[in-house]
Every structure is written in structure tokens, then in C-alpha cells.
Amino acid sequence: MSSMNNFALDAAIKEAWRYQFLTYPNPAVGAAVIVKNRLFVSAHKKAGEPHAEVNALWEAYKAFFDAPPLTISHEIHEFLIKNHNGFFRESNVFVTLEPCSHVGKTPSCANLLKHLKPKSVTIGWLDPISEHSGGVEMLKSAGIEVNVLNDKRCYDLIEPFIKWTNDKFIFFKLAQSFNGAITGGYISSESSLKWVHQIRDKIELLVIGGNTVRIDRPTLDARKVNGKSPDVLIYSKEKNFDKTIPLFSIPKRRVFIEDNLEKINDYKFIMIEGGERLYKKLKNFVDWKVFIVTPKIFDRINYKSEDEFEILHVERRDDLIVFGRSND
Amino acid sequence: MSSMNNFALDAAIKEAWRYQFLTYPNPAVGAAVIVKNRLFVSAHKKAGEPHAEVNALWEAYKAFFDAPPLTISHEIHEFLIKNHNGFFRESNVFVTLEPCSHVGKTPSCANLLKHLKPKSVTIGWLDPISEHSGGVEMLKSAGIEVNVLNDKRCYDLIEPFIKWTNDKFIFFKLAQSFNGAITGGYISSESSLKWVHQIRDKIELLVIGGNTVRIDRPTLDARKVNGKSPDVLIYSKEKNFDKTIPLFSIPKRRVFIEDNLEKINDYKFIMIEGGERLYKKLKNFVDWKVFIVTPKIFDRINYKSEDEFEILHVERRDDLIVFGRSND
């Protein structure tokens, strides 16, 4: 299988991005299986749930055979190992990240593949965590053809994971109209607002500017998805706030009001929600920028800065969600 | 093959968008073939060159067999019909547009598929030109399983074709920074500028505002791709221009200076290159908008309007190229 023919990997990458950040503390991973001339694509969706390749293999199996409604990873592993009956022998598997060799919350994916014995496994990026790696060797020892691509796009997918595992990962979220307007009420679509709540349910700390708190009086919770509310750092020189603002009365939430960002070092996964002032100040401090761009042009002034970034991915929903890496 | 499993069609759609407008006067079409568990994806790239499904089938064939370096459509058709040897019998073919039944500049694709006899052909959208249609029946009569999806994304791909075939297709092109700045020198990347020249080589008429001509003194040709230069309509109340500006001295080009858009009715494929003033005036007049969005944020003011559009496709190059349909 040559690297010229990785449209299946493209599909796996695209699928993985749909769950970027939502797999915290796990990495975003996608997988595809071509079996009996059909293409099945899936992703890891949430920590504790099946890994990407298990989801894709299971989708493929269920498309051809009657199968019980399993959702728990070790049950799917066991079922497939017992019942695959050689079904995957001529299949080609694509995974954005090396299949895990270790047994954690879920069983080892390399072990599962060893039993299913597909014709080939194409891997976008090797596992950066040494205790997880070894998947390639397990597959090779089972006689499976393994192709390791070192595809930078697969590294991009797991960069947040690498950062929050080793230290911390910080991204700036900014919602804008297509022509750069960011003020004057909600700009994003309802589905983007819901996505922001999904993200808030995963992050540990939300950083926000003092003016936003004073003017918008936001709650900064994850109510749209019944999620948990992150701790909040109000980045402000002025320490005096109206404490009846709902964000101060969320149970178990800690709220800090600071004129510096030191508190960030106590957290692993941090989102900054801000406007022009905070963007100008922190644009080179953050790892990634996430722009929610609405396909509307407003008769309102834009935010301004001097900045470039590398586009990593564009997710098309009702709005565009543009993931960018800060240039150093 | 259920509509749940159309990742191959997704790949075909994405590939077709790479050549949107460049196939003029033909439609943008993509195709994918899954054969022997490998996925091959291609598109129609230029009028007179092979159709999308021929390119994809030929890519697949060449990956498995030695083949002569054919590029001319009827030679590829003939070669495949003579030498396929049942290779495609178990394959699944996906095409964004119904394979043509008629013989035009290139032979009939439905006829080719009839000979190759893939297991299934999945079609995103039926051919809107009655003399071209009939492909589905030809395939079915050969015993091929045919799935017609009526996938709106496949309609979007050919909407320009439908419009320029029946009347005319007009789009507005606007180059902007990520935060909506459009003035102050070149904004787009070199590769986008080259893409604009590729488009200029295909369009028949370029509409531009009088101020742009006066201030930027552009040539408005396709020199970066050695292409032909479109006719130019300078949309301006003021008729007096410095005729030494290079755009006036391109051989064979016709230049109109008008305070109305009637000249547009003499053309089939029209691009408007403009800024804020022209955008405000023509935003509801055009069929599509094409934004070239550079991943840079500038300390410059944005263009403004009140406008919404439907995003049809986002093409990731050095810049984002966002294809949008004007809301009525």
C-alpha cells in the first residue's frame, strides 16, 4: 500500500477532528477499514469509550453480520476475537495513531488487530508515549504488513494530547463574523454555542477578560450539554466584581481574579475566551487558536492585531471552526 | 451499498472541488473506485481531457498492471475495454454526476462502465442535460447495481455548469485577511494569486470597479499561467480612464466602461473582482461568492456589509478558498 493511496487515512483524519478536545485526556484518533471493498471510518469519541480502530472494525463487522449491541470496549474486543472468523484477513486498516500495545481503561488495540490479522495496517504517527508504544512490533510479529507514514497531519491531531500530557495545552477561542466583527451580541450559530459548551465540559480552566465579565455577565458553564463547569480565571487588573454574576455561584467551581496568568500552571487543559484586547496580549502565548467563523458579513468593525497562524484543520458545521497553530 | 457508506463519494466530491471553474464549459465532477480493497479518487480536470470516472478507473488499473502512458480519453477507453480482463468486476464505483451516455469530445462513460461491469455504481446526482442522461439505464441494462443518491453536495458542484449552460453564471471574488481587511496591497498567498489567474484564463468577462482600475492600475490577465485574458467591464459612472494602463492594451481583449451591467448578458461565465463598494452593490446579484481568506490578522479595518451566505465548500490551500451561495 503506497502513500499515494491514503484517501482512507484522509477520511480517518477528518473524522478524528470532529472529536478534537472532546477525547480529553485522551488523544484525538481516527481510523478506517477497507473490507470487502467497503470503507468504514470512525474515531475515538470520548475517554473510556472504544478506541478509533475498535469503532471502525466494529462498524465494519456489524455491516456484514448480525451482532449484539455492544458498546463497552472490552466486550467488543472479546466478541471480535471470538467471532471474526477470518473476516478481516483481506482488509486494510488505517489509523492516525499507532494502535496501543498496553492495557489501560480499554484492552490493547494492537492485540485485537493481531487476532483479526488484517492484510495491512497503515499508521499515520507513532505513539509518543513510550509505555503505549510497541504496537508496530506486535503487528509485525503477527505477520501483518505495517506502513508507518509520519504524516504531519496525524501529529497535529495529537499535539494537544502531547502538550497536556507533558505540561499543559492552552488555546484561544474567538468567535467572529466572516468579516472579522466580534462584538454586538451572539455571533455564532446555536450548534457552535453547544460545541463551546461541550468543550467547556472538558477543559479544566477557562480564562476570560475582566471587561467581558463586567459587560456580558456570563455564566461560563456547560449547561447546554449538562456538563461540568470549568474553573475560571478572570484576567483583570481591577479586582472588584459584582459577585452576584452567575459565574461566581456555580458549586465546586473555583474563580480566580488575577492580573497575571500564573494560575494556568496548575492546570493541564486551558481555554481562553476573549476579544481583541486579550487576543493582542496572548496571541503568542497560546499553543493554538480556534476561530468560530460565521458565514455572515456584518456592518460592524473588526478586531485587529498583527498575527499569522498555520491552519491545521477547518471543520465545517453551521459555522466554520478553524483550528490554527500559533506561529513562534 | 447503503448511503451510510459514502466516504468514497466524499473523497470524490472533495477532489472535484479542486477543479471547480477550471473545467469550464464542462461541469466539475469527481469519481472514486474501490477495487481490491484500495481506493482511487480522481476528477475531471479540464474540458477535452478524460472524465472523472475514466481518470479514477485508469489510476486504479495502472496501480495493478503495466500500462502504456495514455492521456487521451478515447485511447484510455479503448485500452480498458480491450484489457480490463474482469479486473473491475468486484469493484465499486462512485461518481458525483451520472456517467454520460452520449459521445461528445470524449466517448461515453456509461458505455465504458458497461464493458468493465463493476459490481455497483453510486451516482451523486443525475445529469441535468437531457441529451447526456440515460447513463443509469445503460448501466442497469448491463446488470450493474446502480444507486442514485440525490446528494445535494453533488448538485452544488455542478450548479455553475447548470447556470452557464442555461444562461450565465456570475460569482464575486473577494480576497481578505482573516479579520476582514481587504485593502493595503496583496493579501493572498502567491498560490492563490496563481489560482485567480487560472480562473481568469477560463472566465469570459471580468467585472471590476472604476476605483480599483484608477488606484491599482491592474493588468487583469492570466500571465502567471500563460492563460488568455478575459474581456473586462469597468463598472464606473466616470468614463475617463488613463488608457495607458496595461489592461487596455491586451490584444484581442474587449474593454467596456459602463455604469450598468447589461454587457454581462452577452457572456456565460463572469467573475466580479471587487471590494466593499462593489460587494454592497452586487451581493444579491451574483450566484456565488468566492472568498480567498488568508490566515493572517492585520491591523487594518475591515470591509462591511449586511449579508449571509451558504457555505458550499472550503478548499484548503495556503489560504482558505470559501465557496458560498448567495442567499436570496
Side-chain angles (χ1 to χ4, degrees), chain A residues 11 14-15 18 316-317, chain B residues 2-18 20 27-30 32 94-98 122-126 148-162 288 310-314 323 325:
Chain A
K14 191 178 170 200
E15 190 68 9
R18 292 183 57 203
R316 254 188 76 188
R317 304 188 181 199
Chain B
S2 86
S3 64
M4 298 292 286
N5 185 34
N6 288 317
F7 293 101
L9 188 71
D10 294 352
I13 291 171
K14 192 178 168 197
E15 190 68 10
W17 275 103
R18 293 182 56 204
Q20 182 61 275
V29 183
F94 301 77
V95 207
T96 62
L97 182 65
E98 184 180 7
T122 299
I123 295 170
W125 198 263
L126 293 176
V148 178
L149 300 182
N150 290 314
D151 186 318
K152 188 194 151 293
R153 299 172 304 163
C154 295
Y155 166 78
D156 293 341
L157 264 176
I158 60 165
E159 188 174 82
F161 165 76
I162 292 172
W288 282 15
E310 180 192 355
I311 293 176
L312 302 176
H313 179 68
V314 180
F323 295 83
R325 178 158 46 220

Side-chain angles (χ1 to χ4, degrees), chain B residues 11-60:
Chain B
I13 291 171
K14 192 178 168 197
E15 190 68 10
W17 275 103
R18 293 182 56 204
Y19 302 93
Q20 182 61 275
F21 300 156
L22 304 179
T23 58
Y24 181 79
N26 286 355
V29 183
V33 181
I34 304 185
V35 58
K36 310 273 183 203
N37 269 3
R38 287 179 64 179
L39 177 59
F40 298 88
V41 182
S42 195
H44 181 47
K45 297 173 184 174
K46 194 181 170 182
E49 292 189 2
H51 286 181
E53 53 272 61
V54 179
N55 279 329
L57 292 162
W58 188 228
E59 287 302 316

Side-chain angles (χ1 to χ4, degrees), chain A residues 202-222:
Chain A
K202 300 299 177 192
I203 57 168
E204 298 173 342
L205 181 69
L206 195 166
V207 180
I208 193 152
N211 274 342
T212 307
V213 173
R214 277 186 207 95
I215 297 165
D216 295 348
R217 304 171 66 90
T219 310
L220 303 176
D221 62 0

Side-chain angles (χ1 to χ4, degrees), chain B residues 18-152:
Chain B
R18 293 182 56 204
Y19 302 93
Q20 182 61 275
F21 300 156
L22 304 179
T23 58
Y24 181 79
N26 286 355
V29 183
V33 181
I34 304 185
V35 58
K36 310 273 183 203
N37 269 3
R38 287 179 64 179
L39 177 59
F40 298 88
V41 182
S42 195
H44 181 47
K45 297 173 184 174
K46 194 181 170 182
E49 292 189 2
H51 286 181
E53 53 272 61
V54 179
N55 279 329
L57 292 162
W58 188 228
E59 287 302 316
Y61 185 91
K62 286 191 296 181
F64 286 89
F65 305 104
D66 285 331
L70 306 179
T71 56
I72 296 169
S73 200
H74 76 84
E75 290 178 355
I76 298 173
H77 279 250
E78 273 173 30
F79 185 91
L80 284 176
I81 288 172
K82 265 192 205 144
N83 298 283
H84 68 87
N85 212 0
F87 172 63
F88 291 102
R89 282 293 165 93
E90 291 301 314
S91 74
N92 301 95
V93 174
F94 301 77
V95 207
T96 62
L97 182 65
E98 184 180 7
C100 63
S101 61
H102 84 308
V103 179
K105 280 187 189 168
T106 65
S108 154
C109 292
N111 178 61
L112 173 62
L113 287 165
K114 214 175 94 173
H115 281 90
L116 304 187
K117 220 171 173 320
K119 190 153 179 292
S120 75
V121 176
T122 299
I123 295 170
W125 198 263
L126 293 176
D127 199 313
I129 309 294
S130 55
E131 62 177 283
H132 294 193
S133 72
V136 168
E137 284 66 35
M138 277 181 73
L139 298 175
K140 280 186 177 165
S141 72
I144 298 167
E145 178 194 332
V146 180
N147 311 291
V148 178
L149 300 182
N150 290 314
D151 186 318
K152 188 194 151 293

Side-chain angles (χ1 to χ4, degrees), chain A residues 102-294:
Chain A
H102 84 307
V103 179
K105 281 186 189 168
T106 64
S108 154
C109 293
N111 179 60
L112 173 62
L113 287 165
K114 215 175 94 173
H115 281 90
L116 304 187
K117 220 168 174 320
K119 190 154 181 289
S120 75
V121 176
T122 299
I123 295 170
W125 198 262
L126 293 176
D127 199 312
I129 310 295
S130 56
E131 61 178 284
H132 294 193
S133 72
V136 168
E137 284 66 35
M138 278 179 74
L139 298 176
K140 280 187 178 164
S141 72
I144 297 167
E145 178 194 333
V146 180
N147 310 290
V148 178
L149 301 181
N150 291 313
D151 185 319
K152 190 195 149 292
R153 298 173 304 163
C154 295
Y155 166 79
D156 293 341
L157 263 178
I158 61 164
E159 188 174 82
F161 167 76
I162 291 172
K163 289 189 181 281
W164 67 49
T165 302
N166 292 321
D167 179 17
K168 59 182 175 294
F169 175 76
I170 312 171
F171 71 100
F172 198 105
K173 184 224 90 182
L174 187 141
Q176 66 165 77
S177 75
F178 209 78
N179 63 329
I182 59 171
T183 52
Y186 284 124
I187 286 172
S188 311
S189 69
E190 179 59 31
S191 66
S192 293
L193 295 172
K194 195 174 162 191
W195 180 72
V196 170
H197 281 226
Q198 286 184 286
I199 303 294
R200 284 190 189 149
D201 176 46
K202 300 299 177 192
I203 57 168
E204 298 173 342
L205 181 69
L206 195 166
V207 180
I208 193 152
N211 274 342
T212 307
V213 173
R214 277 186 207 95
I215 297 165
D216 295 348
R217 304 171 66 90
T219 310
L220 303 176
D221 62 0
R223 63 191 176 282
K224 287 177 194 289
V225 298
N226 292 316
K228 66 177 178 45
S229 301
D231 289 350
V232 170
L233 168 58
I234 302 173
Y235 185 49
S236 170
K237 277 192 179 131
E238 173 57 61
K239 298 286 169 42
N240 200 13
F241 284 88
D242 174 1
K243 294 288 170 49
T244 66
I245 292 175
L247 82 81
F248 288 100
S249 44
I250 305 256
K252 291 188 192 162
R253 160 182 282 175
R254 302 206 295 167
V255 181
F256 311 99
I257 304 171
E258 306 278 356
D259 58 4
N260 64 70
L261 294 171
E262 276 175 34
K263 273 284 176 295
I264 278 184
N265 296 314
D266 298 339
Y267 294 88
K268 293 281 183 191
F269 187 20
I270 301 117
M271 170 162 72
I272 303 173
E273 294 192 57
E276 181 176 89
R277 240 177 50 143
L278 221 49
Y279 190 87
K280 276 182 171 159
K281 203 174 287 233
L282 302 178
K283 67 189 182 197
N284 296 321
F285 176 76
V286 300
D287 298 304
W288 283 14
K289 289 146 188 172
V290 178
F291 301 89
I292 302 176
V293 183
T294 299

